[in-house]
């Protein structure tokens, strides 16, 4: 039970603050939903995220998430995010803006159909720096398909928590 408690703590936390040349890695847990005018699907997921700080303010980020949707159409969803982030360093509380390209692999379990989608995304995180090596945060991402897909959703959102380990150069 102790291991499960520690594991859940690491999953339910988010984003990073780092000096130039610093790396960050983290785990995230989320609630997600696909949006379309006549349909809605939502579920829960877990993921992995990494960042590299180019300067004290600008950085690059990449993450991979898996989500299972149980409502509406039953989906297994894998999302990959690649983009830039901007940190506004305000003492221990750090607002973070990010945006870029995301890729979605969606499997519709009811129709036994697989779809690959390219999206544009933007997000916001509010990170609390525990110390110079750890931060916890909450985040929200919104993505929209760059091409219309009749059988897929037009937009997707994710709300979640991350735990980050930060290490320097």
């Amino acid at each position: 039970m102790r291991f499960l408690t520690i594991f859940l703590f690491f999953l339910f936390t988010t984003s990073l603050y780092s000096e130039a040349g610093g790396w960050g890695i983290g785990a995230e847990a989320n609630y997600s939903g696909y949006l379309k005018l006549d349909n809605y699907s939502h579920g829960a997921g877990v993921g992995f995220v990494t960042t590299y700080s180019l300067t004290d303010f600008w950085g690059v980020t990449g993450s991979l998430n898996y989500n299972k949707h149980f409502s509406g159409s039953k989906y297994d969803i894998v999302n990959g995010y690649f983009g830039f982030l901007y940190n506004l360093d305000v003492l221990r509380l750090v607002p973070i803006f990010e945006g870029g390209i995301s890729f979605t692999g969606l499997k519709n379990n009811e129709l036994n159909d697989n779809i690959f989608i390219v999206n544009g995304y933007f997000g916001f995180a509010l990170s609390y720096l525990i110390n110079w090596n750890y931060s916890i945060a909450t985040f929200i991402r919104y993505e929209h398909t760059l091409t219309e897909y009749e059988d897929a959703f037009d937009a997707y959102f994710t709300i979640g928590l991350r735990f980050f380990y930060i290490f320097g150069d």
Side-chain angles (χ1 to χ4, degrees):
M1 185 65 177
R2 181 180 295 163
F3 174 78
L4 180 60
T5 303
I6 293 169
F7 178 74
L8 290 175
F9 171 76
F10 280 102
L11 285 181
F12 285 90
T13 50
T14 196
S15 232
L16 105 112
Y17 166 81
S18 186
E19 298 290 328
W23 286 88
I25 58 172
E28 58 187 37
N30 65 63
Y31 166 79
S32 62
Y34 262 106
L35 310 171
K36 196 164 188 159
L37 291 178
D38 58 347
N39 197 359
Y40 176 75
S41 176
H42 63 93
V46 295
F48 168 79
V49 61
T50 185
T51 60
Y52 177 73
S53 293
L54 301 169
T55 70
D56 287 350
F57 296 101
W58 289 97
V60 292
T61 182
S63 64
L64 187 64
N65 290 304
Y66 169 78
N67 287 274
K68 182 77 170 177
H69 285 210
F70 300 104
S71 67
S73 296
K74 311 298 189 260
Y75 293 111
D76 288 320
I77 301 159
V78 175
N79 283 322
Y81 300 91
F82 305 96
F84 291 94
L85 58 87
Y86 181 75
N87 297 313
L88 292 174
D89 183 8
V90 184
L91 300 175
R92 288 182 170 264
L93 195 59
V94 182
I96 299 168
F97 301 92
E98 64 177 91
I101 299 291
S102 67
F103 305 94
T104 301
L106 184 142
K107 179 179 181 185
N108 186 326
N109 293 320
E110 291 178 350
L111 301 176
N112 198 21
D113 191 18
N114 294 307
I115 301 170
F116 180 77
I117 305 166
V118 178
N119 313 291
Y121 86 94
F122 66 89
F124 174 76
L126 191 56
S127 181
Y128 178 74
L129 197 61
I130 298 170
N131 61 35
W132 292 109
N133 293 109
Y134 298 98
S135 72
I136 59 173
T138 184
F139 69 94
I140 185 167
R141 284 189 188 124
Y142 174 81
E143 57 190 291
H144 198 281
T145 59
L146 297 179
T147 308
E148 294 297 322
Y149 296 91
E150 187 171 318
D151 297 331
F153 291 87
D154 299 325
Y156 184 71
F157 73 89
T158 305
I159 300 170
L161 301 167
R162 287 186 198 136
F163 175 80
F164 245 95
Y165 176 71
I166 303 162
F167 52 99
D169 49 352

